[in-house]
């Protein structure tokens, strides 16, 4: 996964979070999205060692604005 780019929605919990943590540990560059502001802060804290390879866009992917940002 090193230097591959992944876009993960629902990254603040469940399978999305597990995938984000795994991909980050394997060296992937990530674009993440999630609806929960508080959970996003927790996730970003967990991913802190990989912060230079991660972008996070809060929001709901059912909304146009979130998809436009992604």
């Amino acid at each position: 996964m090193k230097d591959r780019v992944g876009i993960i929605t629902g990254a603040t919990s469940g399978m999305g979070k597990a995938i984000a943590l795994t991909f980050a540990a394997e060296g992937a560059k990530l674009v993440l999205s999630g609806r929960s502001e508080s959970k996003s802060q927790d996730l970003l804290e967990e991913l802190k060692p990989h912060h230079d390879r991660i972008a996070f866009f809060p929001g709901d992917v059912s909304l146009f604005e979130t998809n436009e940002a992604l």
Side-chain angles (χ1 to χ4, degrees):
M1 293 298 301
K2 183 152 176 59
D3 294 327
R4 296 219 173 192
V5 177
I7 300 173
I8 302 170
T9 61
T12 56
S13 65
M15 288 178 51
K17 181 178 180 179
I19 292 168
L21 293 170
T22 301
F23 283 14
E26 292 183 8
K29 298 174 184 176
L30 300 175
V31 178
L32 306 175
S33 181
R35 295 181 297 175
S36 172
E37 188 67 35
S38 63
K39 288 182 181 180
S40 68
Q41 294 305 316
D42 294 340
L43 174 64
L44 292 174
E45 187 63 33
E46 286 185 64
L47 292 171
K48 201 170 191 172
H50 312 287
H51 75 277
D52 59 327
R53 297 188 318 263
I54 295 172
F56 186 87
F57 297 91
D60 184 339
V61 294
S62 70
L63 301 174
F64 178 78
E65 297 82 22
T66 302
N67 291 306
E68 193 72 32
L70 284 171

